[in-house]
Amino acid sequence: MGFGGISIWQLLIILAIVLLLFGTKRLKNIGSDLGGALKGFKKAMSEEETREKDKLEDASQRTIEGEAKHGEKDKS
């Protein structure tokens, strides 16, 4: 038993039909395009996480600096 009631032989037949319809060259191009799109998506997500992390660090640094300035005013 395969995936959701589909046997391995049915999957192989579907794969053969897809290869006949599209050809190996077109499937290779589709695969490389899909890979490039996923790589770009991962890069964009990583950059977004880095920006969010930098914003949080900057905000916490400003808060620490503000508390330090506030503490100096209280001493004088």
Coordinates of all heavy atoms in Angstrom, one line a residue:
M1 N 0.8 -1.2 0.0 CA 0.0 0.0 0.0 C 0.9 1.2 0.0 O 1.8 1.3 0.8 CB -0.9 0.0 1.2 CG -1.9 1.0 1.2 SD -3.4 0.2 1.4 CE -4.6 1.0 0.5
G2 N 0.6 2.2 -0.9 CA 1.4 3.4 -1.0 C 0.8 4.6 -0.3 O 0.3 4.5 0.8
F3 N 0.8 5.7 -0.9 CA 0.4 6.9 -0.4 C -1.1 7.1 -0.6 O -1.6 7.3 -1.7 CB 1.1 8.1 -1.0 CG 2.6 8.0 -0.9 CD1 3.3 7.5 -2.0 CD2 3.2 8.4 0.3 CE1 4.7 7.4 -1.9 CE2 4.6 8.3 0.4 CZ 5.3 7.8 -0.7
G4 N -1.9 7.0 0.5 CA -3.3 7.3 0.4 C -4.0 6.3 -0.5 O -5.0 6.6 -1.2
G5 N -3.6 5.0 -0.5 CA -4.3 4.0 -1.3 C -3.7 3.9 -2.7 O -4.2 3.1 -3.5
I6 N -2.7 4.7 -3.1 CA -2.1 4.6 -4.4 C -0.9 3.7 -4.3 O 0.0 3.9 -3.5 CB -1.7 5.9 -4.9 CG1 -2.9 6.8 -5.1 CG2 -0.9 5.8 -6.2 CD1 -2.6 8.2 -5.5
S7 N -0.8 2.6 -5.1 CA 0.3 1.7 -5.0 C 1.5 2.3 -5.8 O 1.4 3.2 -6.5 CB -0.1 0.3 -5.6 OG -0.2 0.5 -7.0
I8 N 2.7 1.7 -5.5 CA 3.9 2.1 -6.2 C 3.8 1.9 -7.7 O 4.3 2.8 -8.5 CB 5.1 1.3 -5.6 CG1 6.4 1.9 -6.1 CG2 5.1 -0.1 -6.0 CD1 6.7 3.2 -5.5
W9 N 3.1 0.9 -8.2 CA 2.9 0.7 -9.6 C 2.1 1.8 -10.3 O 2.4 2.3 -11.4 CB 2.3 -0.6 -9.9 CG 3.2 -1.7 -9.5 CD1 3.0 -2.6 -8.4 CD2 4.5 -2.1 -10.0 NE1 4.1 -3.4 -8.3 CE2 5.0 -3.2 -9.3 CE3 5.2 -1.6 -11.1 CZ2 6.2 -3.7 -9.6 CZ3 6.4 -2.2 -11.4 CH2 6.9 -3.2 -10.6
Q10 N 1.1 2.3 -9.6 CA 0.3 3.4 -10.1 C 1.1 4.7 -10.2 O 1.0 5.5 -11.1 CB -1.0 3.6 -9.2 CG -1.9 2.5 -9.4 CD -3.0 2.5 -8.3 OE1 -2.8 3.0 -7.2 NE2 -4.2 2.0 -8.6
L11 N 2.0 4.9 -9.1 CA 2.8 6.1 -9.2 C 3.8 6.0 -10.3 O 4.1 7.0 -11.0 CB 3.6 6.2 -7.8 CG 2.8 6.6 -6.6 CD1 3.6 6.5 -5.4 CD2 2.2 8.0 -6.8
L12 N 4.4 4.8 -10.6 CA 5.3 4.7 -11.7 C 4.6 4.9 -13.1 O 5.2 5.5 -14.0 CB 5.9 3.3 -11.7 CG 6.9 3.0 -10.5 CD1 7.4 1.6 -10.5 CD2 8.1 3.9 -10.7
I13 N 3.4 4.5 -13.2 CA 2.7 4.7 -14.4 C 2.4 6.2 -14.6 O 2.6 6.8 -15.7 CB 1.3 3.9 -14.4 CG1 1.6 2.4 -14.6 CG2 0.4 4.4 -15.6 CD1 0.4 1.5 -14.3
I14 N 2.0 6.9 -13.5 CA 1.8 8.3 -13.6 C 3.1 9.0 -14.0 O 3.1 10.0 -14.8 CB 1.2 8.9 -12.3 CG1 -0.2 8.3 -12.1 CG2 1.3 10.4 -12.2 CD1 -0.8 8.6 -10.7
L15 N 4.2 8.6 -13.4 CA 5.5 9.2 -13.7 C 5.9 9.0 -15.2 O 6.4 9.9 -15.8 CB 6.6 8.6 -12.8 CG 8.0 9.1 -13.0 CD1 8.1 10.6 -12.7 CD2 9.0 8.3 -12.2
A16 N 5.6 7.8 -15.7 CA 5.9 7.6 -17.1 C 5.1 8.5 -18.0 O 5.6 9.0 -19.0 CB 5.7 6.1 -17.4
I17 N 3.8 8.6 -17.7 CA 2.9 9.5 -18.5 C 3.4 10.9 -18.5 O 3.5 11.6 -19.5 CB 1.5 9.4 -18.0 CG1 0.9 8.0 -18.3 CG2 0.6 10.4 -18.6 CD1 -0.4 7.7 -17.7
V18 N 3.8 11.4 -17.3 CA 4.3 12.8 -17.2 C 5.6 12.9 -18.0 O 5.7 14.0 -18.7 CB 4.5 13.1 -15.7 CG1 5.3 14.4 -15.5 CG2 3.2 13.2 -14.9
L19 N 6.5 12.0 -17.9 CA 7.7 12.0 -18.7 C 7.4 12.1 -20.2 O 8.0 12.8 -21.0 CB 8.6 10.9 -18.4 CG 9.4 10.9 -17.1 CD1 10.1 9.6 -16.9 CD2 10.4 12.1 -17.2
L20 N 6.4 11.3 -20.7 CA 6.0 11.3 -22.1 C 5.4 12.6 -22.5 O 5.6 13.1 -23.6 CB 5.1 10.2 -22.4 CG 5.7 8.7 -22.3 CD1 4.6 7.7 -22.5 CD2 6.7 8.6 -23.5
L21 N 4.6 13.2 -21.6 CA 3.9 14.5 -22.0 C 4.9 15.6 -22.0 O 4.9 16.5 -22.9 CB 2.8 14.8 -21.0 CG 1.6 13.9 -21.1 CD1 0.6 14.2 -19.9 CD2 0.9 14.1 -22.4
F22 N 5.7 15.7 -21.0 CA 6.6 16.9 -20.9 C 8.0 16.7 -21.4 O 8.6 17.7 -21.8 CB 6.7 17.4 -19.4 CG 5.3 17.9 -18.9 CD1 4.6 17.2 -18.0 CD2 4.8 19.1 -19.3 CE1 3.4 17.6 -17.5 CE2 3.6 19.6 -18.8 CZ 2.9 18.8 -17.9
G23 N 8.5 15.5 -21.3 CA 9.9 15.3 -21.7 C 10.8 15.6 -20.6 O 10.5 16.4 -19.7
T24 N 12.0 15.0 -20.7 CA 13.0 15.2 -19.6 C 13.6 16.6 -19.5 O 13.8 17.1 -18.4 CB 14.1 14.2 -19.7 OG1 14.7 14.3 -21.0 CG2 13.6 12.8 -19.5
K25 N 13.8 17.3 -20.7 CA 14.4 18.6 -20.7 C 13.4 19.6 -20.0 O 13.9 20.4 -19.2 CB 14.6 19.0 -22.1 CG 15.4 20.3 -22.2 CD 15.8 20.6 -23.6 CE 16.6 21.9 -23.7 NZ 17.1 22.2 -25.0
R26 N 12.1 19.5 -20.3 CA 11.2 20.5 -19.8 C 11.1 20.2 -18.3 O 11.0 21.2 -17.5 CB 9.8 20.4 -20.4 CG 8.9 21.5 -19.9 CD 7.6 21.4 -20.6 NE 7.6 21.9 -21.9 CZ 6.6 21.8 -22.8 NH1 5.4 21.3 -22.4 NH2 6.7 22.3 -24.0
L27 N 11.0 19.0 -17.9 CA 10.9 18.6 -16.4 C 12.2 19.1 -15.7 O 12.1 19.6 -14.6 CB 10.7 17.2 -16.2 CG 9.4 16.6 -16.5 CD1 9.3 15.1 -16.4 CD2 8.3 17.3 -15.7
K28 N 13.4 19.0 -16.3 CA 14.6 19.5 -15.7 C 14.5 21.0 -15.5 O 14.9 21.6 -14.5 CB 15.8 19.2 -16.6 CG 17.1 19.6 -16.0 CD 18.3 19.3 -16.9 CE 19.5 19.9 -16.4 NZ 20.6 19.7 -17.3
N29 N 14.0 21.8 -16.5 CA 13.9 23.2 -16.4 C 12.8 23.6 -15.3 O 13.1 24.5 -14.6 CB 13.4 23.8 -17.8 CG 14.5 23.7 -18.8 OD1 15.7 23.6 -18.5 ND2 14.1 23.8 -20.1
I30 N 11.8 22.9 -15.3 CA 10.7 23.1 -14.2 C 11.4 22.9 -12.9 O 11.2 23.7 -11.9 CB 9.5 22.3 -14.4 CG1 8.8 22.7 -15.7 CG2 8.6 22.3 -13.2 CD1 7.6 21.8 -16.1
G31 N 12.1 21.8 -12.7 CA 12.8 21.5 -11.4 C 13.8 22.6 -11.0 O 13.8 23.0 -9.9
S32 N 14.6 23.1 -12.0 CA 15.5 24.1 -11.6 C 14.9 25.4 -11.3 O 15.3 26.1 -10.4 CB 16.6 24.3 -12.8 OG 15.9 24.7 -13.9
D33 N 13.8 25.7 -12.1 CA 13.0 27.0 -11.7 C 12.4 26.9 -10.4 O 12.4 27.9 -9.6 CB 11.9 27.2 -12.8 CG 12.5 27.6 -14.1 OD1 13.7 28.0 -14.2 OD2 11.8 27.5 -15.1
L34 N 11.9 25.7 -10.0 CA 11.2 25.6 -8.7 C 12.3 25.6 -7.6 O 12.1 26.3 -6.6 CB 10.5 24.2 -8.7 CG 9.8 23.9 -7.4 CD1 8.7 24.9 -7.2 CD2 9.2 22.5 -7.5
G35 N 13.5 25.0 -7.9 CA 14.5 25.1 -6.9 C 15.0 26.5 -6.7 O 15.3 27.0 -5.6
G36 N 15.1 27.3 -7.8 CA 15.5 28.7 -7.7 C 14.5 29.5 -6.9 O 14.9 30.4 -6.1
A37 N 13.2 29.2 -7.1 CA 12.2 30.0 -6.4 C 12.2 29.7 -4.9 O 12.1 30.6 -4.1 CB 10.8 29.6 -7.0
L38 N 12.4 28.4 -4.6 CA 12.5 28.0 -3.2 C 13.7 28.7 -2.5 O 13.6 29.1 -1.4 CB 12.6 26.5 -3.0 CG 11.3 25.8 -3.3 CD1 11.5 24.3 -3.2 CD2 10.2 26.2 -2.2
K39 N 14.8 28.7 -3.2 CA 16.1 29.3 -2.7 C 15.8 30.8 -2.4 O 16.2 31.3 -1.4 CB 17.2 29.1 -3.6 CG 18.6 29.4 -3.0 CD 19.7 29.2 -4.0 CE 19.9 27.7 -4.3 NZ 21.0 27.4 -5.1
G40 N 15.2 31.5 -3.4 CA 14.9 32.9 -3.2 C 13.9 33.1 -2.0 O 14.1 34.1 -1.3
F41 N 12.9 32.3 -1.9 CA 12.0 32.4 -0.8 C 12.7 32.2 0.6 O 12.5 33.0 1.5 CB 10.9 31.3 -0.9 CG 9.9 31.3 0.2 CD1 8.9 32.3 0.2 CD2 9.9 30.4 1.1 CE1 8.0 32.4 1.2 CE2 8.9 30.4 2.1 CZ 8.0 31.4 2.2
K42 N 13.5 31.2 0.7 CA 14.3 31.0 1.9 C 15.2 32.2 2.2 O 15.3 32.6 3.4 CB 15.1 29.7 1.8 CG 14.3 28.4 1.9 CD 15.2 27.2 1.8 CE 14.5 25.9 1.9 NZ 15.4 24.8 1.8
K43 N 15.8 32.7 1.2 CA 16.7 33.9 1.4 C 15.9 35.1 1.9 O 16.3 35.8 2.8 CB 17.4 34.3 0.1 CG 18.4 35.4 0.2 CD 19.1 35.7 -1.1 CE 20.0 36.9 -0.9 NZ 20.5 37.3 -2.2
A44 N 14.7 35.3 1.3 CA 13.9 36.4 1.7 C 13.4 36.2 3.2 O 13.3 37.2 4.0 CB 12.7 36.6 0.8
M45 N 13.0 35.0 3.5 CA 12.6 34.7 4.9 C 13.7 35.0 5.9 O 13.5 35.5 7.0 CB 12.0 33.3 5.0 CG 10.7 33.1 4.2 SD 9.4 34.1 4.8 CE 9.1 33.4 6.4
S46 N 14.9 34.5 5.5 CA 16.0 34.7 6.4 C 16.4 36.2 6.6 O 16.6 36.6 7.7 CB 17.3 34.0 5.8 OG 18.4 34.3 6.5
E47 N 16.3 37.0 5.5 CA 16.5 38.4 5.6 C 15.5 39.1 6.5 O 15.8 40.0 7.2 CB 16.6 39.0 4.2 CG 17.8 38.7 3.4 CD 17.7 39.2 2.0 OE1 16.7 39.7 1.6 OE2 18.7 39.0 1.3
E48 N 14.2 38.6 6.4 CA 13.2 39.2 7.2 C 13.4 38.9 8.6 O 13.2 39.8 9.5 CB 11.8 38.7 6.7 CG 10.6 39.3 7.4 CD 10.4 40.8 7.2 OE1 10.8 41.2 6.1 OE2 9.9 41.4 8.1
E49 N 13.8 37.7 9.0 CA 14.1 37.3 10.4 C 15.2 38.2 10.9 O 15.2 38.6 12.0 CB 14.4 35.8 10.5 CG 13.2 34.9 10.3 CD 13.6 33.5 10.3 OE1 14.8 33.2 10.5 OE2 12.7 32.6 10.1
T50 N 16.2 38.4 10.1 CA 17.4 39.2 10.5 C 17.0 40.6 10.8 O 17.4 41.2 11.7 CB 18.5 39.2 9.4 OG1 18.8 37.8 9.2 CG2 19.7 39.9 9.8
R51 N 16.1 41.2 9.9 CA 15.6 42.6 10.1 C 14.8 42.7 11.4 O 15.0 43.6 12.1 CB 14.7 43.0 8.9 CG 15.5 43.5 7.8 CD 14.6 44.2 6.7 NE 15.0 43.6 5.4 CZ 14.2 43.1 4.6 NH1 12.9 43.1 4.8 NH2 14.7 42.6 3.4
E52 N 13.9 41.7 11.6 CA 13.1 41.7 12.8 C 14.0 41.6 14.1 O 13.8 42.3 15.1 CB 12.1 40.5 12.8 CG 11.0 40.7 11.8 CD 10.1 41.9 12.2 OE1 9.8 42.1 13.4 OE2 9.7 42.5 11.3
K53 N 15.0 40.7 14.0 CA 16.0 40.6 15.1 C 16.7 41.9 15.4 O 16.9 42.3 16.5 CB 16.9 39.4 14.8 CG 17.8 39.1 16.0 CD 18.9 38.1 15.6 CE 18.4 36.7 16.0 NZ 19.5 35.7 15.8
D54 N 17.2 42.5 14.3 CA 17.9 43.8 14.4 C 17.0 44.9 15.0 O 17.4 45.7 15.9 CB 18.4 44.3 13.1 CG 19.6 43.4 12.6 OD1 20.1 42.7 13.4 OD2 19.9 43.5 11.4
K55 N 15.7 44.9 14.6 CA 14.8 45.9 15.2 C 14.6 45.7 16.7 O 14.6 46.6 17.5 CB 13.4 45.8 14.5 CG 13.4 46.4 13.1 CD 12.0 46.3 12.6 CE 11.9 46.8 11.1 NZ 10.6 46.6 10.6
L56 N 14.4 44.4 17.1 CA 14.3 44.1 18.5 C 15.5 44.5 19.3 O 15.4 45.0 20.4 CB 13.9 42.6 18.7 CG 12.6 42.2 18.3 CD1 12.4 40.7 18.4 CD2 11.5 42.9 19.1
E57 N 16.7 44.2 18.8 CA 17.9 44.5 19.5 C 18.1 46.0 19.6 O 18.5 46.5 20.6 CB 19.1 43.9 18.7 CG 19.2 42.4 18.9 CD 20.4 41.8 18.1 OE1 21.0 42.5 17.3 OE2 20.6 40.6 18.2
D58 N 17.8 46.7 18.5 CA 17.9 48.2 18.5 C 16.9 48.8 19.5 O 17.3 49.7 20.3 CB 17.6 48.8 17.1 CG 17.8 50.2 17.0 OD1 18.9 50.7 17.6 OD2 17.0 50.9 16.4
A59 N 15.7 48.3 19.6 CA 14.7 48.8 20.5 C 15.1 48.5 22.0 O 15.0 49.4 22.8 CB 13.3 48.1 20.3
S60 N 15.7 47.3 22.2 CA 16.1 47.0 23.6 C 17.3 47.9 23.9 O 17.5 48.3 25.1 CB 16.5 45.5 23.7 OG 17.6 45.2 22.9
Q61 N 18.2 48.1 23.0 CA 19.4 49.0 23.3 C 18.9 50.4 23.6 O 19.5 51.0 24.5 CB 20.3 49.0 22.0 CG 21.6 49.8 22.3 CD 22.5 49.1 23.3 OE1 22.4 47.9 23.6 NE2 23.3 49.9 24.0
R62 N 17.9 50.9 22.9 CA 17.4 52.2 23.2 C 16.8 52.3 24.5 O 16.9 53.2 25.3 CB 16.4 52.7 22.1 CG 17.1 53.2 20.8 CD 16.1 53.8 19.9 NE 15.8 52.8 18.9 CZ 14.6 52.5 18.5 NH1 13.6 53.2 18.9 NH2 14.4 51.5 17.6
T63 N 16.1 51.2 24.9 CA 15.5 51.1 26.2 C 16.5 51.1 27.3 O 16.4 51.9 28.3 CB 14.6 49.8 26.4 OG1 13.6 49.8 25.3 CG2 14.0 49.8 27.7
I64 N 17.6 50.4 27.1 CA 18.7 50.3 28.1 C 19.4 51.7 28.2 O 19.6 52.2 29.3 CB 19.7 49.2 27.7 CG1 19.1 47.9 27.9 CG2 21.0 49.4 28.6 CD1 19.9 46.7 27.3
E65 N 19.6 52.4 27.1 CA 20.2 53.7 27.1 C 19.3 54.7 27.8 O 19.7 55.5 28.5 CB 20.5 54.1 25.7 CG 21.7 53.4 25.0 CD 21.9 53.7 23.6 OE1 21.1 54.6 23.0 OE2 22.8 53.2 22.9
G66 N 18.0 54.6 27.5 CA 17.0 55.5 28.1 C 17.0 55.3 29.6 O 16.9 56.3 30.4
E67 N 17.1 54.1 30.1 CA 17.1 53.8 31.5 C 18.4 54.3 32.2 O 18.3 54.9 33.3 CB 17.0 52.3 31.8 CG 15.6 51.7 31.5 CD 15.5 50.2 31.6 OE1 16.6 49.6 31.9 OE2 14.4 49.7 31.4
A68 N 19.5 54.2 31.4 CA 20.7 54.7 32.0 C 20.7 56.2 32.1 O 21.1 56.8 33.1 CB 21.9 54.3 31.1
K69 N 20.1 56.9 31.1 CA 20.0 58.4 31.1 C 19.1 58.8 32.3 O 19.3 59.8 33.0 CB 19.5 58.9 29.8 CG 20.6 58.9 28.7 CD 20.0 59.4 27.4 CE 21.1 59.2 26.3 NZ 20.5 59.7 25.0
H70 N 18.0 58.1 32.4 CA 17.0 58.4 33.4 C 17.6 58.2 34.8 O 17.4 59.0 35.7 CB 15.8 57.5 33.3 CG 14.7 57.8 34.3 ND1 14.0 58.9 34.2 CD2 14.2 57.0 35.3 CE1 13.1 58.9 35.2 NE2 13.2 57.8 35.9
G71 N 18.5 57.2 35.0 CA 19.1 56.9 36.3 C 20.2 58.0 36.6 O 20.3 58.3 37.7
E72 N 20.8 58.5 35.6 CA 21.8 59.6 35.8 C 21.1 60.9 36.3 O 21.6 61.6 37.1 CB 22.6 59.9 34.5 CG 23.6 58.7 34.2 CD 24.3 59.0 32.8 OE1 24.0 60.0 32.2 OE2 25.0 58.1 32.4
K73 N 19.9 61.2 35.7 CA 19.2 62.3 36.1 C 18.7 62.2 37.5 O 18.7 63.2 38.2 CB 18.0 62.6 35.1 CG 18.4 63.0 33.8 CD 17.1 63.2 32.9 CE 17.5 63.6 31.5 NZ 16.3 63.7 30.6
D74 N 18.3 61.0 38.0 CA 17.9 60.8 39.3 C 19.0 61.1 40.3 O 18.8 61.6 41.4 CB 17.3 59.4 39.5 CG 16.0 59.2 38.8 OD1 15.4 60.2 38.5 OD2 15.6 58.1 38.6
K75 N 20.2 60.8 40.0 CA 21.4 60.9 40.9 C 21.8 62.4 41.1 O 22.3 62.8 42.1 CB 22.6 60.2 40.3 CG 22.4 58.7 40.4 CD 23.7 58.0 39.9 CE 23.5 56.4 40.0 NZ 24.6 55.7 39.4
S76 N 21.5 63.2 40.1 CA 21.9 64.6 40.2 C 20.9 65.5 40.9 O 19.9 65.2 41.3 CB 22.2 65.3 38.9 OG 21.7 64.7 37.8

